[in-house]
Amino acid sequence: MINFNVPPYTGKEVEYMKEAIENQKICGDGPFTKKCNEWIENQTGTAKCLLTTSCTHATELAALLAKIKEGDEVILPSYTFVSTADAFVLRGATAVFVDIRPDTMNIDENLIEDAITERTKAIVPVHYAGVGCEMDAIMDIARRHNLMVVEDAAQGIMASYKGKPLGTFGDFGCFSFHETKNFSMGEGGALLIRDEKYIEDAEILREKGTDRSKYYRGQVDKYRWQNYGSSYLPSDMNAAYLYAQLELAEEITQARMDRWNQYRELLTPLAEAGKIELPYVPEYCIHNAHMFYIKTKDMEERSRLIEFLKQKDILSVFHYVPLHSAPAGIKFGRFHGEDKYTTKESERLLRLPMFYKLTADEVEYIAEQVKAFYR
Ligand SMILES: *Cc1c(COP(=O)(O)O)cnc(C)c1O
């Protein structure tokens, strides 16, 4: 059976986790957490990175730092994971969904401006499959309307738009290290902070409302309750697991990219014959091979293909059910404008197995079976 996902594992994780245990520092903000933060700061050039317990929590931190409150509105795509909306809805905001572009499955930047009202506080682009949204246009709209930008870059580490890493355009960027992502720590994430003025508040929010981060740095002689907050810092054992993968980030990304390019090459004849569509990556976007998907004719054909592949021992999966059609989406949000592509394209999209140790032989077999289905 070829699984859809296998959590990334390099071999060094156990050694580093053992080291964390022997350091007698397994709680948050230990040596491995610092190493991960610094690695991400160096790789992305962001002013500050704070490892978190999930991307969901990183987004919650961003919503708190952006001072999102009851009655505010945030603009986001409906084709995304629930967390993108949850973080803002939890603060009492309304999720205003706009349509996606059918080519990248990202928010259609040309529809954002029309959805802005005097209540709008933030735009939340989601870089689907690690392919950058049109950040030039989005940042220009945000500047002109004085809006915050929170990038859901859960799938976007090691990817860039016009040479700049995803997660570093907006006021805040959020990475995920869930086991389904390119690099993992089981459950985990990171908040990227562009502007230094937010660092202190972010540290306090993340540490139960205390200035313990300052205390650890020796900047204050005791730490105290400073503000409201919660616990958003992961155990150093989890950070140790992640650090083993960050050290091999280039190698892991290259391995995924090789499989991604192989899929594309093998399936191009089917696309040229008009049977399926392949992912589109604008030439100024460097992606990270987070996902390989194809688009079938419609949902019915997709269901048959999933079943066919399952019989050939291949697990393939569809992705998001648009949020605006879900019970909470109806309760906490509204779709602005026409749903021209969100529902239609989401029903056609099928994700093929993609993970670090996927082999060339496996990709060849999978592509062969997809071709067999269309014969
Ligand atoms: C995975 C994912 C999340 C959630 O990440 P967690 O670390 O599981 O909280 C949010 N948004 C998108 C687009 C994702 O792919």
Side-chain angles (χ1 to χ4, degrees):
M1 181 68 78
I2 304 177
N3 275 321
F4 167 69
N5 177 60
V6 175
Y9 182 69
T10 68
K12 231 171 172 193
E13 287 85 348
V14 173
E15 183 189 320
Y16 283 176
M17 288 177 86
K18 192 162 165 274
E19 196 179 317
I21 293 162
E22 282 163 3
N23 285 341
Q24 301 190 334
K25 188 83 184 85
I26 58 173
C27 70
D29 281 339
F32 282 104
T33 304
K34 284 204 188 81
K35 281 184 182 177
C36 290
N37 288 341
E38 279 165 20
W39 189 94
I40 294 169
E41 283 161 13
N42 289 334
Q43 206 275 329
T44 62
T46 188
K48 184 75 188 171
C49 170
L50 293 173
L51 222 55
T52 58
T53 28
S54 65
C55 178
T56 306
H57 277 165
T59 316
E60 280 184 35
L61 270 173
L64 284 162
L65 290 163
K67 301 221 154 42
I68 301 296
K69 57 180 189 330
E70 190 87 37
D72 288 348
E73 293 179 0
V74 298
I75 297 172
L76 70 162
S78 170
Y79 186 69
T80 183
F81 190 56
V82 292
S83 307
T84 322
D86 265 332
F88 298 92
V89 163
L90 203 56
R91 307 255 68 78
T94 299
V96 177
F97 303 112
V98 301
D99 210 7
I100 52 167
R101 300 162 52 117
D103 56 358
T104 55
M105 304 298 283
N106 283 335
I107 191 166
D108 186 337
E109 69 282 0
N110 296 309
L111 302 175
I112 293 173
E113 210 152 7
D114 194 57
I116 295 173
T117 71
E118 71 270 9
R119 289 167 174 259
T120 308
K121 285 287 151 58
I123 306 171
V124 190
V126 180
H127 305 296
Y128 189 68
V131 176
C133 295
E134 288 299 328
M135 292 313 293
D136 279 350
I138 292 169
M139 294 311 295
D140 179 58
I141 295 166
R143 254 187 303 273
R144 283 189 284 106
H145 294 271
N146 198 23
L147 303 175
M148 306 281 284
V149 173
V150 178
E151 292 174 73
D152 181 336
Q155 304 170 14
I157 191 166
M158 298 292 280
S160 62
Y161 167 86
K162 298 187 181 173
K164 195 170 150 61
L166 303 185
T168 64
F169 289 85
D171 299 271
F172 306 107
C174 308
F175 284 165
S176 173
F177 301 118
H178 185 259
E179 72 164 33
T180 51
K181 302 304 199 282
N182 290 23
F183 314 123
S184 182
M185 53 196 279
E187 298 278 353
L191 177 70
L192 276 64
I193 302 172
R194 189 189 65 201
D195 192 331
E196 285 180 356
K197 73 179 182 199
Y198 291 110
I199 296 175
E200 192 173 334
D201 285 348
E203 285 180 342
I204 289 171
L205 280 165
R206 178 171 166 274
E207 258 287 15
K208 302 104 185 157
T210 74
D211 54 353
R212 183 144 71 177
S213 299
K214 268 188 162 168
Y215 170 72
Y216 277 154
R217 286 193 296 264
Q219 292 164 326
V220 288
D221 59 8
K222 59 174 177 293
Y223 70 87
R224 294 188 306 178
W225 190 27
Q226 302 289 344
N227 198 351
Y228 52 80
S230 189
S231 187
Y232 292 119
L233 69 173
S235 150
D236 217 47
M237 283 188 293
N238 294 55
Y241 191 100
L242 177 66
Y243 191 64
Q245 295 176 21
L246 295 182
E247 276 191 325
L248 290 179
E250 297 285 350
E251 191 180 314
I252 293 172
T253 306
Q254 191 55 51
R256 297 182 74 109
M257 201 60 89
D258 290 347
R259 299 289 81 82
W260 197 97
N261 288 331
Q262 191 192 350
Y263 266 130
R264 173 132 99 178
E265 199 180 307
L266 293 172
L267 293 173
T268 292
L270 267 191
E272 280 170 357
K275 302 285 190 198
I276 59 169
E277 277 175 45
L278 297 179
Y280 165 73
V281 181
E283 90 271 5
Y284 44 81
C285 287
I286 294 177
H287 72 110
N288 56 6
H290 173 62
M291 191 191 302
F292 191 90
Y293 65 79
I294 62 172
K295 284 185 187 167
T296 60
K297 182 159 65 61
D298 52 25
M299 186 145 66
E300 186 272 327
E301 184 179 283
R302 183 179 71 180
S303 302
R304 282 194 291 116
L305 179 52
I306 290 173
E307 198 44 49
F308 180 86
L309 292 176
K310 202 158 125 199
Q311 269 153 29
K312 307 288 177 189
D313 284 337
I314 300 163
L315 293 182
S316 62
V317 296
F318 55 83
H319 213 182
Y320 309 128
V321 176
L323 297 184
H324 74 280
S325 57
I330 294 164
K331 200 153 128 196
F332 299 122
R334 66 163 189 272
F335 200 97
H336 181 88
E338 190 194 342
D339 170 11
K340 211 163 150 189
Y341 298 113
T342 299
T343 301
K344 185 165 152 260
E345 298 302 303
S346 71
E347 290 178 347
R348 302 170 57 209
L349 187 140
L350 180 69
R351 304 161 74 197
L352 299 177
M354 173 55 83
F355 48 87
Y356 172 40
K357 298 247 166 107
L358 184 68
T359 67
D361 285 350
E362 286 170 328
V363 170
E364 203 174 310
Y365 173 72
I366 296 162
E368 204 38 63
Q369 295 311 317
V370 173
K371 285 180 184 165
F373 173 80
Y374 283 100
R375 275 196 298 270

